[in-house]
Amino acid sequence: MPQRTGSLLIPLFILLAGLFASVYTRVLPALALDLLPWLPYVLACVMVFMAWHFNRGKVLLAGGLVLLPTFYPYVESESLPSSFTTVAAIGLGLLLLLRERGFFNRFVFNRILFLGMLVAWSVSYEKNVINFNFLAISVPLLKISLSSLLCWLMIALTSILSLITWWRKADGFSTAVLVSLATLLLIECMSFTVHQESAVRSAQILVWVWFVVAESHRMAYRDELTQLPSRRALNEAMLALPRHYAIAMLDVDHFKKFNDSYGHAKGDEALKQVARVMQRYDNRASIYRYGGEEFTLLFKGRNVEDAQAVLEQIRTEVQLEQLDVSTESKEKMVTVTVSMGLALGHSSDAPSEVIKRADQALYQAKKKGRNRVVVAA
Ligand SMILES: Nc1nc2c(ncn2[C@@H]2O[C@H](COP(=O)(O)OP(=O)(O)OP(=O)(O)O)[C@@H](O)[C@H]2O)c(=O)[nH]1
């Protein structure tokens, strides 16, 4: 499934479930109806707890921002959108530009101060403490005030920014921001009752709870450098292998020398490049970073038959990829090569034994001169 579609699937499902639930709020028993308006706040507490537990300062800020419009009562339609919704939208957009710096530190404090300043401006404006008369004039044709037009323009700009960010990254955070913005606009534009709004807003907060859970899972099971599944994911996959499978171990040749010659950062780039080549074949094999400069490819079922051919293709493609190691004084492009060992497994074999045989075959490939694939006997 393409990454973009995949990233949207669960957040959209949560939002749709919230919308679906909002239709049925009428039939809820009286007690549930009394409790429903509190649900977003309870979920927000869960969100803040998880943000603290997983050290996610941006999630803490997002929690405050999505609740912000609830602190100001619904305003008349002619002054749509409320400045609180505008601040919430701008704040969510700004979060996309900021780096995650943890939950409790001076960065988060400064960010809260900045958002607090925006909120103070909004309150002052909505309560007529500050008054810009020219913002009240009506815009010809659109029949809305200049202030409403400016708010809409800022929301539109933020939405475009988040759409572009999501399109480029398709990561959990940009998806949560995008779905949150869509929910803010829905709540702003639809005439929801208090209970319907609570149901939809609860879904909006659940999207963030989902983000923290999914992100922690990703951190546990993905390798940070290459973004490939990690050794932990491999260990779990080994517990549910089919009857026929094959395991290949891949190792970058002379990698210590590469690091010593061009530096650790270039070494990291080389590892990412090798990972990218292997990912071209992720429909034929599951690919994992085993550790260091070693990777594992797991072939299952019918893919076992052409495992060797796939490994040969990977080997060829890796050595054709150029890597720029230029310095200020000298331009230089280099290539790396990889060696691989392949072992076939059967239901009677312990997977750890198959990995061991693949490792021995890899050792043979190194001994025979590297840049080759050896199949275990
Ligand atoms: N840049 C970078 N280097 C790494 C990483 N993980 C392991 N290494 C380096 O990979 C090198 C592995 O070297 P060796 O195991 O001696 O093997 P080699 O130099 O690849 O030689 P052969 O395997 O015999 O071809 C070590 O220098 C590690 O520091 C990493 O994530 N990034």
Side-chain angles (χ1 to χ4, degrees):
M1 192 189 323
Q3 197 185 345
R4 281 192 203 103
T5 325
S7 72
L8 267 183
L9 215 61
I10 292 184
L12 268 190
F13 175 78
I14 295 173
L15 178 56
L16 288 176
L19 282 171
F20 185 74
S22 75
V23 177
Y24 290 96
T25 48
R26 276 176 292 118
V27 296
L28 286 177
L31 179 65
L33 272 185
D34 283 347
L35 293 177
L36 190 57
W38 294 100
L39 188 59
Y41 299 100
V42 173
L43 289 174
C45 289
V46 175
M47 182 174 164
V48 171
F49 173 76
M50 293 182 79
W52 165 75
H53 192 74
F54 293 102
N55 204 23
R56 290 275 168 271
K58 292 210 294 183
V59 175
L60 169 74
L61 294 171
L65 287 167
V66 294
L67 281 187
L68 197 55
T70 65
F71 295 117
Y72 193 79
Y74 192 72
V75 270
E76 293 302 310
S77 62
E78 59 178 301
S79 63
L80 276 174
S82 83
S83 53
F84 273 27
T85 302
T86 312
V87 169
I90 294 174
L92 284 170
L94 285 178
L95 288 183
L96 286 172
L97 306 176
L98 299 175
R99 275 176 63 188
E100 179 56 76
R101 299 232 186 218
F103 186 81
F104 198 70
N105 50 49
R106 67 190 166 92
F107 296 102
V108 176
F109 186 67
N110 289 345
R111 290 166 187 182
I112 290 175
L113 271 185
F114 178 73
L115 290 175
M117 187 192 73
L118 290 183
V119 173
W121 268 86
S122 308
V123 176
S124 314
Y125 183 72
E126 296 275 3
K127 299 278 179 201
N128 279 327
V129 177
I130 48 171
N131 207 341
F132 301 108
N133 288 336
F134 71 96
L135 288 178
I137 57 169
S138 177
V139 181
L141 296 175
L142 295 174
K143 290 187 182 141
I144 55 172
S145 66
L146 186 58
S147 66
S148 291
L149 179 66
L150 288 177
C151 284
W152 278 123
L153 280 177
M154 282 191 271
I155 291 177
L157 275 177
T158 312
S159 305
I160 293 169
L161 166 79
S162 63
L163 200 62
I164 294 172
T165 314
W166 170 78
W167 189 261
R168 286 181 47 226
K169 291 191 181 168
D171 62 341
F173 192 83
S174 55
T175 310
V177 167
L178 192 68
V179 175
S180 267
L181 279 173
T183 316
L184 270 183
L185 289 178
L186 260 178
I187 293 173
E188 192 68 50
C189 299
M190 307 278 289
S191 310
F192 286 134
T193 63
V194 172
H195 294 111
Q196 287 174 328
E197 187 184 315
S198 300
V200 178
R201 214 177 279 287
S202 301
Q204 185 186 31
I205 296 169
L206 267 183
V207 167
W208 283 101
V209 173
W210 161 253
F211 162 72
V212 180
V213 173
E215 187 67 3
S216 329
H217 181 272
R218 193 188 64 78
M219 281 163 67
Y221 286 88
R222 290 257 154 196
D223 167 52
E224 188 70 27
L225 180 72
T226 59
Q227 291 303 315
L228 287 175
S230 62
R231 175 104 165 244
R232 185 193 296 251
L234 172 68
N235 289 342
E236 285 195 7
M238 304 279 258
L239 299 173
L241 286 170
R243 224 183 278 261
H244 296 294
Y245 65 93
I247 295 177
M249 298 300 289
L250 179 150
D251 186 285
V252 183
D253 296 329
H254 298 303
F255 198 54
K256 184 175 179 331
K257 207 165 137 202
F258 186 97
N259 270 334
D260 293 345
S261 311
Y262 308 114
H264 210 266
K266 287 289 168 196
D268 283 353
E269 272 182 45
L271 289 179
K272 284 201 249 179
Q273 186 165 292
V274 171
R276 276 198 297 274
V277 172
M278 286 192 289
Q279 273 171 319
R280 292 177 198 155
Y281 295 89
D282 62 2
N283 56 342
R284 314 283 278 279
S286 308
I287 299 148
Y288 305 87
R289 184 169 181 198
Y290 192 74
E293 76 317 2
E294 246 188 309
F295 298 87
T296 306
L297 295 97
L298 187 57
F299 297 86
K300 294 187 214 162
R302 294 179 66 185
N303 282 332
V304 172
E305 287 158 28
D306 50 13
Q308 194 177 352
V310 168
L311 295 182
E312 283 294 354
Q313 274 168 322
I314 291 176
R315 189 189 63 75
T316 314
E317 286 179 31
V318 166
Q319 71 173 349
L320 289 176
E321 292 279 328
Q322 302 263 331
L323 187 73
D324 188 355
V325 291
S326 306
T327 56
E328 275 176 18
S329 55
K330 199 167 142 201
E331 285 198 4
K332 191 172 178 186
M333 303 295 278
V334 292
T335 57
V336 292
T337 61
V338 290
S339 301
M340 291 176 252
L342 173 68
L344 301 182
H346 300 285
S347 44
S348 55
D349 296 330
S352 55
E353 273 306 309
V354 184
I355 288 206
K356 208 163 149 191
R357 279 195 278 126
D359 239 345
Q360 282 161 355
L362 170 63
Y363 180 70
Q364 291 300 319
K366 293 273 180 186
K367 248 176 70 177
K368 285 182 180 168
R370 298 177 175 80
N371 191 17
R372 67 193 63 221
V373 178
V374 169
V375 182

